[in-house]
Amino acid sequence: MESNLLYRELKKSVMKKKEQPIRGYKKVAAFIEELINSQISMEEAEDWTEEFFYTVEEENIDLIPALLQLIKDTQQNPDVVTTVAFLLEQYGDPDVLEPLMELFKSPGISDTTRSILLGVMEYYGMDTQDPTLISYFQDIRGLGQVALEGMLQLSEREEMLETLLEEISNFSPEAQLRMIEELGKSRDERAIPLLGIFAEYRDKELAKAAILQLGSIRSGKSIETLENLINHQQDSQELIQRSLRKLQFAGVTKTPSILESFPIYKCLVSWIDGRGSRVMLIARQRDARHAKLAQFMLHEKVGIKDCYGAQNITLKDIDKITKELKKQVGGMEIEYAYCLQLVRDALWTALKNEAKISPLFSFYRKIFEKDPLTPQAYIVDLTSYGLEEARQSLEELLATSDELISKPPFSDWWPDTPSSYDFVQKKKRSMRNRIMDSKIIREFLTQVLEPDRNQITKRLELTIEFLAKKNPKAYQTQIQKALALWIALKEQNRPLDNIPFMKELATLTLKNVLNNIQMGYTEPIDYVPEY
């Protein structure tokens, strides 16, 4: 609904209620409209809402009555109703249940609106399976269709995608399977991106169900989605081929899913941190002021650990994001072709390690448009960065390699991971005086870092290339020492406790993790687990 039409409806409703006006109704309606029209992330929406709640308190606005009246006045606009539901949940006060229940029971409330209200009531702990609640629906048989339509509408709003998937993750396995089946039965093209995400889930039963249902939606997009699956290429290849044959027998042909191409605005990659992750950002310019954005968390073991994106973000916001990435994680602007090489390498890594990439990649891979993403290992040619020179001064470089830890990116290499915390939890009694004796350091090197020798070696290769691309002259000393480390780890297979850098890395990790544990953090902060 257009803004002026929404305001005309709200104006009519206010005029009807002149006798008992709701304090702040227009301000609440304006805020709802602003939320709907703003292309912002869920985190930003939550921040905006929290600030608005402060305004509500300061101005003594009748928030809950205004929100419920808005639902009554604009039922035909699902954007308004779902946004009001979001605010009711963010409000966080169970006292909203009583007036919400009254609205739920009111005559004239549509089944679509009732289903949304039911979700809010469930959020506050009400048993929504109560038959008396279901009895208020005019078309009980159509209730499932209403819920499905609401889900498909939400899936089209990219900023709501992660929230929708979080909600679905709370469903029972049986309910998730039923939902996947209903998505397939809908024969609706809008269901294909969701099914593509479920087809990449670690849970094989859910993934196979989604693969099966993709074969039921007669669209070239189904073929494209099936052909691009990564996580279950091996264990579900027969089922993937069966779904593809089903579509082909139905006369469906593969059609390009991207009709419009956008030029690259900016690409950026960060250094690699101690968790083995790095950020890769790609933005394509839509018009003079806006872009589409995708960010990927590339990972040494699982390939692609997480994804995030925005369909319509301002160029100004893109510039702010890249500026912050440069400041916080050494972000460097790179060529789009290099991004392609890195993502193909990440997919190859996932297949090699039989790891599961983020299911969201099925959705956000569209930032690459028509460029093929065939998994392929990326090999860094170290000879062009002074490998032979490092060989000639190997022992001298290794002797002072511990100095690398004092500056980024190597200062960010300490493994802030569950395995580090598990080790320190077991040894913290011996470390209570913060004395890291050689025995504890050796054990940490053997138990935690040695299993990751190959990942650390690959990290060195990519870091050497990163520093050389960023500023070869400024980072010449770091590059030479990193090359020496690579020789010791890869070619000579030296014990880790014979390498000063590795000993210093272990010491730093033990101190940092012990400090975090003593501050009450028993596990890594903001750790994104593997899918």
Side-chain angles (χ1 to χ4, degrees):
M1 181 183 293
E2 293 182 359
S3 302
N4 57 351
L5 181 57
L6 172 61
Y7 264 113
R8 284 202 300 270
E9 290 184 3
L10 298 181
K11 185 177 180 181
K12 287 179 186 177
S13 66
V14 171
M15 291 175 66
K16 289 178 184 177
K17 299 180 179 296
K18 278 185 178 179
E19 295 179 2
Q20 293 181 329
I22 297 174
R23 189 164 50 246
Y25 179 87
K26 287 185 178 180
K27 192 154 196 169
V28 174
F31 178 70
I32 294 290
E33 183 189 13
E34 187 180 11
L35 271 183
I36 292 170
N37 294 332
S38 299
Q39 297 289 334
I40 57 175
S41 68
M42 182 53 61
E43 287 184 2
E44 289 173 317
E46 290 172 354
D47 291 341
W48 282 23
T49 301
E50 190 171 345
E51 288 180 15
F52 182 66
F53 287 161
Y54 286 125
T55 302
V56 166
E57 289 182 9
E58 290 172 358
E59 300 183 12
N60 201 23
I61 291 173
D62 292 333
L63 178 64
I64 301 306
L67 289 174
L68 298 183
Q69 188 61 47
L70 266 169
I71 290 177
K72 285 183 181 180
D73 296 338
T74 59
Q75 280 191 79
Q76 71 277 24
N77 188 332
D79 283 345
V80 174
V81 179
T82 53
T83 305
V84 169
F86 167 74
L87 260 69
L88 287 169
E89 291 182 359
Q90 290 297 304
Y91 191 63
D93 187 347
D95 287 346
V96 305
L97 269 177
E98 186 176 343
L100 196 62
M101 189 66 179
E102 289 181 14
L103 179 62
F104 179 86
K105 295 178 180 179
S106 298
I109 298 298
S110 69
D111 281 358
T112 302
T113 300
R114 278 200 176 95
S115 66
I116 294 171
L117 295 179
L118 206 61
V120 179
M121 290 152 67
E122 184 177 33
Y123 176 84
Y124 282 106
M126 181 175 284
D127 180 12
T128 55
Q129 301 301 315
D130 186 344
T132 58
L133 293 177
I134 304 300
S135 67
Y136 284 96
F137 287 88
Q138 298 168 20
D139 180 11
I140 296 176
R141 288 185 177 180
L143 181 59
Q145 187 60 39
V146 168
L148 180 65
E149 177 60 27
M151 183 179 297
L152 290 173
Q153 288 180 2
L154 282 177
S155 70
E156 291 184 297
R157 296 172 58 185
E158 191 166 312
E159 74 277 9
M160 295 296 293
L161 185 61
E162 288 191 52
T163 302
L164 175 61
L165 293 173
E166 284 178 14
E167 290 292 330
I168 292 171
S169 69
N170 294 323
F171 293 2
S172 67
E174 294 77 15
Q176 290 179 339
L177 285 170
R178 285 198 301 272
M179 179 203 63
I180 289 172
E181 185 178 355
E182 290 301 321
L183 286 171
K185 285 181 179 177
S186 73
R187 305 296 190 267
D188 194 319
E189 270 197 349
R190 292 177 299 169
I192 294 173
L194 270 180
L195 287 172
I197 291 171
F198 296 133
E200 295 283 28
Y201 267 33
R202 177 180 288 273
D203 186 309
K204 288 183 181 180
E205 190 175 5
L206 291 179
K208 287 181 177 180
I211 292 169
L212 184 66
Q213 293 305 326
L214 280 167
S216 300
I217 301 179
R218 297 181 177 182
S219 166
K221 294 178 182 178
S222 294
I223 294 178
E224 184 181 28
T225 301
L226 287 164
E227 288 181 344
N228 287 326
L229 294 178
I230 297 293
N231 285 343
H232 298 283
Q233 267 193 17
Q234 298 174 355
D235 56 41
S236 298
Q237 184 58 227
E238 186 178 337
L239 185 60
I240 292 171
Q241 291 303 319
R242 190 188 310 166
S243 288
L244 286 170
R245 285 195 298 271
K246 183 178 178 181
L247 291 166
Q248 289 162 359
F249 290 155
V252 180
T253 57
K254 185 176 177 181
T255 54
S257 61
I258 298 171
L259 302 178
E260 190 174 8
S261 180
F262 297 101
I264 293 295
Y265 174 66
K266 195 166 286 189
C267 295
L268 181 141
V269 67
S270 74
W271 62 51
I272 305 171
D273 65 20
R275 294 174 176 175
S277 301
R278 74 191 310 187
V279 176
M280 185 176 76
L281 175 150
I282 301 173
R284 290 183 178 272
Q285 189 165 350
R286 299 179 66 92
D287 55 42
R289 296 179 58 193
H290 299 89
K292 56 193 298 188
L293 166 74
Q295 290 188 70
F296 304 93
M297 185 188 290
L298 307 183
H299 190 262
E300 294 170 342
K301 292 182 182 178
V302 300
I304 301 173
K305 202 171 187 182
D306 202 7
C307 309
Y308 169 77
Q311 188 65 18
N312 198 33
I313 184 171
T314 66
L315 299 183
K316 186 176 180 181
D317 284 339
I318 292 280
D319 293 338
K320 285 181 182 177
I321 291 170
T322 54
K323 183 178 179 181
E324 192 63 23
L325 287 173
K326 289 176 182 179
K327 179 181 177 182
Q328 297 293 336
V329 288
M332 172 180 65
E333 293 188 34
I334 55 171
E335 309 84 7
Y336 171 69
Y338 188 52
C339 288
L340 279 173
Q341 290 176 313
L342 291 180
V343 79
R344 288 169 182 156
D345 180 71
L347 295 174
W348 178 83
T349 297
L351 291 175
K352 180 190 70 169
N353 295 336
E354 297 183 359
K356 299 293 184 285
I357 65 170
S358 166
L360 288 169
F361 182 73
S362 173
F363 184 83
Y364 289 115
R365 66 179 293 147
K366 62 187 179 182
I367 196 72
F368 297 100
E369 296 189 347
K370 297 177 183 179
D371 291 311
L373 299 182
T374 307
Q376 183 178 4
Y378 177 65
I379 309 299
V380 179
D381 180 13
L382 295 180
T383 56
S384 59
Y385 301 125
L387 184 61
E388 291 308 315
E389 292 87 337
R391 290 189 206 282
Q392 296 171 12
S393 307
L394 182 62
E395 297 307 325
E396 180 183 344
L397 291 168
L398 286 175
T400 57
S401 61
D402 57 329
E403 296 174 356
L404 286 172
I405 294 292
S406 64
K407 295 180 181 178
F410 300 99
S411 56
D412 202 25
W413 272 32
W414 65 277
D416 186 20
T417 58
S419 58
S420 296
Y421 281 73
D422 290 343
F423 179 90
V424 175
Q425 288 281 18
K426 294 173 184 175
K427 301 288 183 179
K428 64 181 178 181
R429 184 173 298 177
S430 305
M431 299 164 56
R432 61 178 176 267
N433 294 324
R434 294 177 176 271
I435 298 174
M436 310 299 166
D437 61 38
S438 56
K439 181 183 176 184
I440 288 178
I441 292 173
R442 251 193 329 271
E443 288 179 359
F444 183 81
L445 288 168
T446 302
Q447 296 176 28
V448 179
L449 294 182
E450 181 60 47
D452 290 340
R453 179 187 283 258
N454 289 337
Q455 280 77 41
I456 294 171
T457 303
K458 179 69 177 284
R459 190 188 308 171
L460 279 167
E461 294 170 2
L462 291 170
T463 299
I464 290 165
E465 183 175 62
F466 177 88
L467 296 175
K469 282 178 175 287
K470 195 165 190 177
N471 193 330
K473 290 184 178 179
Y475 293 109
Q476 183 178 8
T477 300
Q478 286 177 295
I479 290 170
Q480 282 293 297
K481 291 182 179 180
L483 285 165
L485 286 172
W486 183 87
I487 294 168
L489 289 168
K490 179 76 172 180
E491 294 185 346
Q492 299 181 345
N493 199 31
R494 289 196 189 189
L496 299 188
D497 62 350
N498 285 347
I499 303 174
F501 172 84
M502 299 305 301
K503 291 166 68 175
E504 187 65 20
L505 181 63
T507 303
L508 176 65
T509 305
L510 292 170
K511 287 180 178 178
N512 287 345
V513 172
L514 180 61
N515 183 60
N516 286 348
I517 289 174
Q518 290 175 341
M519 291 174 63
Y521 300 106
T522 57
E523 57 185 23
I525 303 167
D526 296 330
Y527 183 76
V528 179
E530 287 79 8
Y531 283 89

